[in-house]
Amino acid sequence: MTPRPEAFFLPVGPDGDQRFCLFHRAHGPAPRGRVVYVHPFAEEMNKSRRMAALQSRALAAAGFSVLQIDLLGCGDSSGDFGDASWAAWVADVRLASRWLRERDAAHAAAPPWLWGLRAGCLLAVEATDGLDEPVNFCFWQPATSGKQLLQQFLRMRVAAEMMSGAGKGLMEDLRQQLATGTALEIAGYRLAPRLAEGLERAQLLPPPASPDGRLVWLELSTQAEPRFSPVAEQAQARWRDAGWQLDARLIKGPAFWQTTEIEEAPALLSATTSALQTRVEQPA
């Protein structure tokens, strides 16, 4: 029987702020690694909850300890989405990484992983500046540019206003409102200027690699002959050139973070578990 994850609230600072977390304890005595999951942006988080839960359980069954954290203003954590800033989210990822290292002493020497989905990959990379240990990365459908994600999010507001008969220049008007400190209501989310500013600046640039630094890059496709986009290939080349050991794979499956109904991608689950285990399984 698969053990249930431990649900708890992680204190943040002296003001009573808390982050909701799920801790999946690793099965078996042999430590394989520690994994912190960094969820994507806005509604993509909710669409991805099932896949994140399934993958966390699969990794725990394979011997990894896994921590899922709801960032500030997301899920069951303190605050509203409109209270969030990019810097606060980065700090939450660092907090989760340190907690897992201290909490799971049996795995303290095992390889640590930051596993991100979409915007979560950008947060994971930025969070490494300030951690006191090297990490490996697992990227699910990584966003290479926060600016592009912000543009896509703003387009949702533009589309809604055009449906109501608004004219041209809407995108410029929204950006002007953010620049002057005005928060925007978009698809049920209140986007604060400081969150938008941090997201727009974020890029998927490689941090300095440790001698054994690993990056697992997994993307989903429904095409008959899938290929990475030129942007993804350029980003992967930058990571290789920076000394990272790259394992890049295209997996058959739906874009579950944006589908109307909750979808699963079983091939992605097995590919992720296999990729993270690869180094551990090799003989000494």
Side-chain angles (χ1 to χ4, degrees):
M1 181 177 178
T2 303
R4 295 179 62 86
E6 301 173 25
F8 66 97
F9 285 95
L10 181 61
V12 182
D15 299 326
D17 281 354
Q18 296 178 322
R19 304 292 179 265
F20 179 74
C21 297
L22 288 173
F23 174 53
H24 302 258
R25 188 183 300 275
H27 305 186
R32 293 187 179 274
R34 293 171 279 126
V35 183
V36 172
Y37 171 63
V38 190
H39 63 69
F41 186 76
E43 191 60 21
E44 291 184 358
M45 173 191 177
N46 295 322
K47 295 286 187 179
S48 306
R49 278 192 180 278
R50 178 159 179 78
M51 278 293 293
L54 291 173
Q55 186 64 75
S56 296
R57 294 169 191 163
L59 288 172
F64 294 86
S65 59
V66 184
L67 182 68
Q68 296 177 254
I69 182 171
D70 288 355
L71 304 175
L72 170 63
C74 300
D76 293 313
S77 288
S78 298
D80 297 320
F81 192 86
D83 301 325
S85 69
W86 190 256
W89 281 358
V90 170
D92 284 350
V93 177
R94 292 175 182 149
L95 177 67
S97 299
R98 294 183 181 119
W99 181 92
L100 185 57
R101 183 180 184 181
E102 295 171 3
R103 173 66 171 78
D104 199 18
H107 289 63
W113 291 83
L114 291 179
W115 155 38
L117 169 59
R118 302 275 288 155
C121 302
L122 297 168
L123 286 164
V125 168
E126 197 161 331
T128 58
D129 184 13
L131 294 179
D132 56 358
E133 63 177 341
V135 301
N136 300 321
F137 294 99
C138 177
F139 292 164
W140 273 9
Q141 209 75 24
T144 58
S145 166
K147 183 176 182 178
Q148 183 181 21
L149 279 183
L150 178 61
Q151 188 83 350
Q152 293 170 354
F153 194 59
L154 294 178
R155 282 178 186 152
M156 297 173 65
R157 172 72 178 267
V158 170
E161 295 202 9
M162 291 185 70
M163 289 284 290
S164 63
K168 297 181 179 180
L170 294 175
M171 182 64 74
E172 291 78 6
D173 180 59
L174 294 178
R175 287 190 170 277
Q176 183 61 31
Q177 290 182 56
L178 288 172
T180 57
T182 302
L184 301 176
E185 295 289 340
I186 302 176
Y189 292 88
R190 183 170 174 267
L191 177 65
R194 57 183 180 172
L195 177 55
E197 180 183 1
L199 175 60
E200 187 164 34
R201 286 199 315 265
Q203 297 186 56
L204 201 70
L205 299 177
S210 64
D212 296 319
R214 297 187 58 207
L215 167 59
V216 174
W217 183 305
L218 304 175
E219 293 194 22
L220 287 170
S221 176
T222 56
Q223 298 178 359
E225 297 181 1
R227 295 187 61 181
F228 286 112
S229 69
V231 172
E233 290 179 342
Q234 292 169 9
Q236 292 168 12
R238 284 194 294 270
W239 282 74
R240 285 196 197 94
D241 293 344
W244 290 86
Q245 299 178 27
L246 176 65
D247 179 359
R249 310 184 194 183
L250 283 163
I251 312 296
K252 187 77 170 180
F256 58 85
W257 58 91
Q258 63 183 17
T259 53
T260 302
E261 302 295 332
I262 301 300
E263 297 270 9
E264 296 180 14
L268 178 61
L269 301 175
S270 57
T272 302
T273 305
S274 173
L276 268 62
Q277 283 181 299
T278 298
R279 181 62 56 87
V280 181
E281 297 289 357
Q282 292 176 350

